[in-house]
Amino acid sequence: MMDEVPASSDETDEKEAAERRRKRCQILGQVLLDWSPVLAQLATIAVQQLS
């Protein structure tokens, strides 16, 4: 069997950064879903005002 080499600090930092990015995207997506009815209503009001 081959001995596994521990991940370097750079690799660990990259993995942690990727995980944080995924988490941020999930949170942002959830916020957009939660607020989509409100945003849709605001867009409707804006279109009516500009018409």
Side-chain angles (χ1 to χ4, degrees):
M1 283 201 316
M2 294 179 60
D3 292 332
E4 289 187 24
V5 177
S8 71
S9 178
D10 289 343
E11 289 174 353
T12 303
D13 289 346
E14 284 181 27
K15 288 179 183 178
E16 289 174 357
E19 182 63 32
R20 286 193 301 269
R21 281 193 298 273
R22 273 193 295 275
K23 203 173 220 179
R24 264 197 308 264
C25 284
Q26 287 175 344
I27 291 171
L28 180 60
Q30 188 62 47
V31 167
L32 288 175
L33 282 175
D34 291 346
W35 282 90
S36 61
V38 174
L39 295 174
Q41 187 63 37
L42 288 174
T44 301
I45 292 169
V47 168
Q48 288 173 348
Q49 291 297 319
L50 295 174
S51 298

